[in-house]
Amino acid sequence: MKFNNIIEILGDFGKYQKRLYYLLCLPAVTNALLTLISVFTLAIPDHRCRLSQPYNDTSYQPRDAFQQLYVNHSIPRDTDGKWSSCKRYDVNLTQITERSLVHVNATQEDCNSWVYDTSVFIDTFMTEQNIVCQYTIYRSHANMIMMAGRFVGSLGFGVFADLLGRKVALMVGLVLQIAVSFATAFAPNFTVFMVCRFFVGFASSGTFMSGFVIVMELVGPSKRSRSGVVMMLFWCIGLFLLGLLAYFIRDWSNLQLAVSIPIVFLLSFYWIVPESPRWLISKGKTKKAEKILRKAAEVNKVKLPVNLFDEATLSKDKGGQTKVWQMFTSPILLIRTLIIFLNWMVVSMVYYGLGLNVGNLGGDIYLNFTAANIVETAAYVLCLILLDRWGRKALHCTSMLLGGIACILTIFPVLYLDESSEWIVITLSMIGKLGASAAFTVIYIFSAELYPTVVRNSALGASSLFARIGGMVSPYVADLGKLVTGDFGTALPLLVFGGASVAAGLLSLLLPETLNQTLPETIEDAKQIGRKSGKTKYRVNLTQSEEQQGKYELKEKF
C-alpha cells in the first residue's frame, strides 16, 4: 500500500492530525513574538542633546523653569516645534540669564550624549546603547540581519531535517531559539546583539518549518490550503500577545526575557511529537513508521490493513523532475515566472515593512500595533471566505491594489493636513496592511497552482529566495522616515510600499486564473493554463512532489 492510500484511510484531517496540527501551530506564536519584537526593543523615542554635566540633565522634559531656560537656549527647534534630536547650539550656558535671548543664530554642532523621553518606553536597546542620530541606520541593519538569518535557516534546517529527521531538527531549533533569545536580553553591545538576532531568525525559521512539515506529511491534500491559512491565525495570536507584553513591560531586556518563556514551555512537552512517518519510510525505518500510523488509526477510529507496506511503498519515486530553469525557456512561462518572483518579493517587503513601520506613524505605538494585528486577522478570515469564490488572481490583484493605493494616499494628509488628521494616515496604513496580509496568503496557493509538478518544489524554493530579498530590504524602506526629515519623510516609506504594490498587482493580471483548474503536470501543461476554455475539475490527488510544497508555502513568513 502506498502512503497516499494510507492517508486516504486515515482521513485527510482526522482527530489525530488535528491534535498534532494545533500543537505544531504553536511555533508560529513564538516566531511572531521574536520576529516583530524589534518594533519595541529597537524603537527610538523622542530625544535631545544632554546639557553639560553641571546642569544635571537626566530627563527629556526639563524638571524646573531654570533647566527649561538652559534647554531652550542650547537646543534648537525643528520645523515641527520639537527640540532637535541631534543638534545643539555652541553657546556658553554660564552666561545665560532669564532675560537672555535664545541664540537662534548661534553655530549648531552635533552632540554625543542624549536624554530620552521615557513616557512610552523606560528604555530600548537603541537608547541604552545611544544608537541614534547618524547611527539610526543600525536599526535597519539589525532587522535585516534577522531576515538574513531566516533565509539561511530555511535552507540549513531543510537539509538538516531531510538528513536527521523532522523531530530532531525541531528540537535542535527550539533549544537554539531559547539560547539566543535569552542571550539577546543580555547583549552588551551592538555586535553581539546582531549575532543574536541572526541566530534568532535562523532558529525561528527552522523550528516552524520542521514542525510544519511533520503535519503536512500527515494531512491530506484537500486540507492543505485551509491549514495554511489557519496557521497564519496562530501567527496573529503571537502578535496580540506581543502587544500585550510590550504594553506592560516597557524596558527592552525584560520584554526580551518575557517572550523567551513561551519557547521553554514548548520545549518542555514537544518530546511527545512523533517523527514524520514519511521520513521514517524514506530512511527504511518502517517499524517506527507503522507504529505511528497505527496509533493515528486508533485515534481516528479507522482500521489499517494487516500488511501495511509493500514494495511500492518502499521504492523511491522515480518520477522525472525537470530543472527549474526550463521555466525560462518559453516566453509565456518566462513572463509568468518573473511576475510571480516580483510579487513574492514585493508582498514580503510590504508586509514586513508595514509591520516595522508601525512605530513611525505617530500616535500611540501600542494602539497602532494592536490595530494592525486586528486588520491582519481580518485579512486571513476574508481569504478563507473569498479564496474559492473570487479566485486566486482576482483576490490577489485586488489585495495588492487596495493596499498599494491606500499607502500612496497617505501623502495627502501628511502634506496638506495638520497633526489632528494623524488618524487618517494610520487608517490608510492599516488598509495597506490588510491588503499585504491577504496578498501574502493568496500568493502561496496561486504560485503552487501555476507551477507544473515537475518543477513545483524548485520553483517555490526560488520564489522563497525573492521573498527573503524583499524581507531584507523592508527594514531600510521602513526607516526612510528617519533618514528623510519632515512630513515627506513620514509618508515616504508608505509611498514606496504603495507604488511597489500597485505595480506588482497590475502585473499579476497577466497571470491566468487557477481556481478549479487542473494542476499542471508538465512544462507543456503549464503553457496551456489560461488558453483552454471552460473549467475542469480541480485535481486533488497530488503527487509526492506536490505534497512537499507545504514546507515552502508558509516558511517565508514564519
Side-chain angles (χ1 to χ4, degrees):
M1 178 178 293
K2 292 186 177 181
F3 198 89
N4 287 345
N5 302 125
I6 297 174
I7 294 297
E8 289 178 4
I9 297 174
L10 289 177
D12 278 5
F13 201 50
K15 189 175 181 179
Y16 180 84
Q17 290 102 315
K18 288 178 182 177
R19 288 179 180 176
L20 192 60
Y21 173 75
Y22 291 118
L23 177 63
L24 291 171
C25 278
L26 296 179
V29 177
T30 57
N31 284 355
L33 291 171
L34 294 175
T35 300
L36 289 179
I37 190 177
S38 59
V39 170
F40 304 102
T41 59
L42 296 180
I44 302 177
D46 289 338
H47 54 282
R48 61 169 175 81
C49 296
R50 185 191 300 271
L51 301 181
S52 55
Q53 186 61 36
Y55 299 95
N56 193 28
D57 190 13
T58 58
S59 62
Y60 180 76
Q61 294 295 339
R63 66 179 184 276
D64 54 39
F66 285 104
Q67 195 169 67
Q68 177 81 47
L69 176 68
Y70 294 141
V71 170
N72 287 339
H73 276 80
S74 61
I75 309 298
R77 297 272 185 175
D78 290 332
T79 55
D80 58 4
K82 292 183 177 180
W83 287 307
S84 173
S85 299
C86 306
K87 296 289 185 179
R88 59 170 296 153
Y89 291 130
D90 183 14
V91 295
N92 186 351
L93 291 181
T94 61
Q95 298 178 3
I96 300 298
T97 67
E98 280 190 75
R99 296 185 180 182
S100 300
L101 297 176
V102 176
H103 290 268
V104 293
N105 295 321
T107 303
Q108 294 187 19
E109 60 183 8
D110 293 332
C111 52
N112 54 19
S113 182
W114 297 265
V115 288
Y116 300 94
D117 182 2
T118 58
S119 62
V120 179
F121 305 101
I122 296 175
D123 70 355
T124 69
F125 182 78
M126 305 298 281
T127 64
E128 181 182 282
Q129 300 289 323
N130 286 321
I131 305 177
V132 294
C133 295
Q134 68 266 36
Y135 305 110
T136 301
I137 191 66
Y138 284 28
R139 178 170 70 171
S140 300
H141 296 338
N143 283 318
M144 181 278 292
I145 200 69
M146 188 206 62
M147 295 295 179
R150 287 185 175 277
F151 173 67
V152 176
S154 64
L155 296 177
F157 270 93
V159 175
F160 185 84
D162 286 339
L163 290 176
L164 299 178
R166 289 41 167 140
K167 180 177 179 178
V168 175
L170 173 64
M171 302 305 295
V172 169
L174 284 172
V175 171
L176 179 60
Q177 199 175 49
I178 291 170
V180 294
S181 182
F182 277 102
T184 303
F186 301 99
N189 54 54
F190 184 74
T191 301
V192 174
F193 185 86
M194 287 272 282
V195 172
C196 289
R197 288 295 286 171
F198 176 85
F199 282 104
V200 163
F202 178 83
S204 296
S205 182
T207 54
F208 172 79
M209 181 178 66
S210 302
F212 187 72
V213 170
I214 293 175
V215 175
M216 296 310 289
E217 291 182 344
L218 271 177
V219 171
S222 68
K223 299 298 182 182
R224 290 199 180 100
S225 295
R226 185 172 293 272
S227 297
V229 178
V230 172
M231 179 73 78
M232 292 180 180
L233 293 176
F234 275 82
W235 167 274
C236 290
I237 292 173
L239 296 180
F240 281 114
L241 179 58
L242 174 60
L244 185 66
L245 290 172
Y247 181 80
F248 288 105
I249 306 174
R250 301 294 181 100
D251 59 296
W252 80 272
S253 58
N254 285 333
L255 177 60
Q256 182 70 45
L257 291 173
V259 302
S260 304
I261 294 173
I263 313 171
V264 179
F265 171 74
L266 288 183
L267 183 64
S268 65
F269 66 85
Y270 259 41
W271 297 104
I272 65 174
V273 173
E275 182 55 85
S276 166
R278 285 186 188 272
W279 181 83
L280 290 171
I281 292 172
S282 72
K283 298 298 181 180
K285 301 177 180 180
T286 55
K287 289 184 178 179
K288 291 183 178 180
E290 182 171 354
K291 182 178 179 181
I292 295 170
L293 292 171
R294 293 201 180 278
K295 174 64 176 179
E298 180 183 344
V299 174
N300 289 355
K301 300 186 184 306
V302 296
K303 188 174 182 179
L304 293 176
V306 175
N307 296 320
L308 197 56
F309 301 121
D310 54 27
E311 289 301 320
T313 309
L314 304 178
S315 62
K316 293 186 177 179
D317 184 6
K318 303 294 185 181
Q321 287 288 313
T322 303
K323 299 297 183 182
V324 69
W325 60 263
Q326 292 195 21
M327 289 289 289
F328 297 92
T329 59
S330 163
I332 188 170
L333 294 184
L334 172 63
I335 293 172
R336 288 177 183 174
T337 303
L338 293 177
I339 291 173
I340 291 171
F341 286 171
L342 176 65
N343 273 267
W344 275 78
M345 183 172 66
V346 170
V347 77
S348 178
M349 178 187 72
V350 175
Y351 173 83
Y352 284 114
L354 288 176
L356 296 172
N357 193 53
V358 164
N360 301 331
L361 292 176
D364 188 290
I365 187 174
Y366 302 102
L367 288 178
N368 292 348
F369 189 77
T370 302
N373 299 340
I374 293 172
V375 165
E376 184 170 348
T377 304
Y380 299 146
V381 173
L382 286 174
C383 285
L384 281 173
I385 297 172
L386 299 177
L387 193 58
D388 290 333
R389 298 184 182 184
W390 284 17
R392 282 57 163 147
K393 181 168 75 171
L395 185 55
H396 179 74
C397 181
T398 300
S399 299
M400 294 289 280
L401 293 180
L402 174 67
I405 292 172
C407 288
I408 292 173
L409 289 177
T410 58
I411 190 65
F412 297 105
V414 167
L415 294 183
Y416 301 112
L417 299 177
D418 56 28
E419 290 187 1
S420 64
S421 301
E422 197 174 63
W423 65 272
I424 300 178
V425 177
I426 296 173
T427 300
L428 290 171
S429 177
M430 293 302 117
I431 296 175
K433 184 69 179 289
L434 175 75
S437 300
F440 216 142
T441 303
V442 180
I443 194 64
Y444 295 132
I445 300 168
F446 199 10
S447 301
E449 293 176 348
L450 282 169
Y451 290 132
T453 300
V454 291
V455 297
R456 185 167 290 122
N457 277 357
S458 300
L460 285 169
S463 298
S464 77
L465 170 63
F466 283 87
R468 294 306 185 191
I469 294 172
M472 287 187 281
V473 170
S474 63
Y476 297 96
V477 179
D479 278 345
L480 284 176
K482 294 293 184 182
L483 302 177
V484 180
T485 59
D487 291 339
F488 183 73
T490 302
L492 184 56
L494 295 172
L495 289 177
V496 175
F497 293 141
S501 293
V502 169
L506 290 175
L507 285 173
S508 71
L509 291 174
L510 299 177
L511 300 173
E513 178 56 68
T514 60
L515 177 64
N516 295 326
Q517 295 294 318
T518 302
L519 291 175
E521 298 285 351
T522 65
I523 295 291
E524 286 303 316
D525 289 343
K527 292 179 183 179
Q528 298 303 316
I529 297 179
R531 295 182 176 181
K532 298 178 181 180
S533 59
K535 295 183 178 180
T536 56
K537 187 175 180 180
Y538 189 88
R539 194 196 326 275
V540 297
N541 56 321
L542 304 183
T543 66
Q544 185 169 351
S545 175
E546 294 166 21
E547 289 169 357
Q548 300 297 321
Q549 117 189 7
K551 67 182 180 184
Y552 293 106
E553 284 184 354
L554 287 171
K555 75 177 183 181
E556 315 316 322
K557 188 166 189 178
F558 301 110

